[in-house]
Amino acid sequence: MTATSEHAYETSTPTHPIASKPFTLATDLDGTFLGGDETARRRLYDWIESNRRTVGLIFVTGRDPAFIKTLCAEDGVPWPEFVIGDVETTIADVTTDREIKPIAALEAEIKHLWSDGAERITMALADASGLTPQETEFRYRLSYHIDVDTVDRGAVQRVEALGYDVLLSDDRFFDVLPRGVSKGPSLLRLLAHLGMSTERVLAAGDTLNDLSMLTCGVPAVAVGNSEKALLAELDGDGRVLQAVDHGAAGIMEAVSALDLHPV
């Protein structure tokens, strides 16, 4: 099932300026918003900054808030209005003083589903080969680096038996999440909370962990450098544009091709 068939969120009255903007980009970071060459990235970032009155920006990423704050404060990347991060287990507002503040009402279900997951999963995977814990703070998920040649093939089954989901991506990452939590449902939850129309939101991604977002019912693009596993899942799905250009250039290609905003 897609996220749209599994999850229904009641749209609220618009409460944030982003809801009145004609277009909003909801984008993965690595390989997508941060992908492509420097010229293409600069073109996209400058276009966003020069159209802030009409263009909204949401990051939908596995990265944590600390990474995003450094990225935007030090590397010249546009600040988003909202962040769906920590492999979609954090849903947060970016405040006027550049703090990334979790929205408790949207995280309540995620927190409940996670419960004591960190302790249970750590114990279940303590002896699993080919999995190395990532060195970052986790709230409602656990993430590992994976060695596909040596990984314990029973690890996924052990996690799922405990009632949690496993997300494998790019042959490098093994993420354990609360059941049913992924990019698509988290994005739809945020859009409904903000009272935003899904028709003017573009979802952009490049790896398999973007699949639920690209198929959740909003206009979507798989940028030109997308991994083969993602493209295989999207094969025959005419709702998702498969861009020719890589990374940032692929996003601009989709904005123009889908007539979402003048470029």
Side-chain angles (χ1 to χ4, degrees):
M1 288 185 173
T2 65
T4 48
S5 61
E6 291 180 345
H7 302 269
Y9 303 111
E10 183 177 348
T11 302
S12 65
T13 301
T15 57
H16 189 279
I18 196 174
S20 64
K21 293 184 178 183
F23 170 68
T24 291
L25 172 63
T27 181
D28 169 62
L29 289 179
D30 297 279
T32 308
F33 197 71
L34 303 179
D37 62 34
E38 174 61 26
T39 299
R41 293 195 300 272
R42 194 73 266 154
R43 179 189 175 215
L44 173 61
Y45 303 165
D46 288 347
W47 175 78
I48 290 171
E49 295 293 16
S50 65
N51 288 281
R52 280 292 189 173
R53 289 175 53 192
T54 55
V55 174
L57 183 61
I58 300 171
F59 288 167
V60 190
T61 175
R63 295 289 194 169
D64 59 74
F67 173 88
I68 294 168
K69 289 176 70 173
T70 299
L71 180 73
C72 297
E74 299 179 7
D75 296 341
V77 173
W79 283 89
E81 282 103 324
F82 292 90
V83 168
I84 299 171
D86 283 322
V87 196
E88 300 67 65
T89 57
T90 290
I91 305 177
D93 180 18
V94 179
T95 66
T96 54
D97 57 353
R98 304 308 195 193
E99 292 300 320
I100 299 176
K101 182 179 179 181
I103 304 170
L106 298 185
E107 291 191 352
E109 181 182 357
I110 295 171
K111 180 179 180 180
H112 173 73
L113 290 169
W114 186 242
S115 185
D116 60 349
E119 180 180 353
R120 298 174 69 204
I121 293 157
T122 298
M123 292 179 60
L125 298 180
D127 298 325
S129 62
L131 293 176
T132 305
Q134 292 184 21
E135 295 180 358
T136 186
E137 294 184 10
F138 301 116
R139 298 176 69 232
Y140 309 126
R141 55 114 172 179
L142 286 178
S143 295
Y144 298 80
H145 297 289
I146 185 173
D147 182 335
V148 294
D149 295 323
T150 64
V151 67
D152 182 343
R153 300 300 174 183
V156 172
Q157 289 75 17
R158 291 205 295 278
V159 170
E160 292 178 342
L162 292 174
Y164 299 92
D165 287 344
V166 173
L167 180 63
L168 302 171
S169 60
D170 205 25
D171 286 336
R172 294 190 296 158
F173 305 118
F174 183 106
D175 296 305
V176 183
L177 309 171
R179 180 143 292 169
V181 173
S182 61
K183 289 190 175 186
S186 291
L187 177 59
L188 292 178
R189 184 180 286 114
L190 175 61
L191 297 180
H193 173 76
L194 295 172
M196 292 179 63
S197 168
T198 58
E199 297 177 357
R200 303 298 295 178
V201 176
L202 175 68
D206 73 305
T207 64
L208 198 56
N209 66 5
D210 299 315
L211 178 63
S212 68
M213 175 173 66
L214 300 184
T215 58
C216 75
V218 304
V221 57
V223 294
N225 51 297
S226 293
E227 67 172 333
K228 292 180 180 179
L230 174 63
L231 298 179
E233 289 289 337
L234 294 173
D235 186 36
D237 190 338
R239 300 169 300 174
V240 180
L241 176 68
Q242 295 188 20
V244 174
D245 295 329
H246 291 198
I251 293 174
M252 292 297 285
E253 177 186 338
V255 174
S256 177
L258 299 175
D259 194 25
L260 293 169
H261 191 284
V263 295

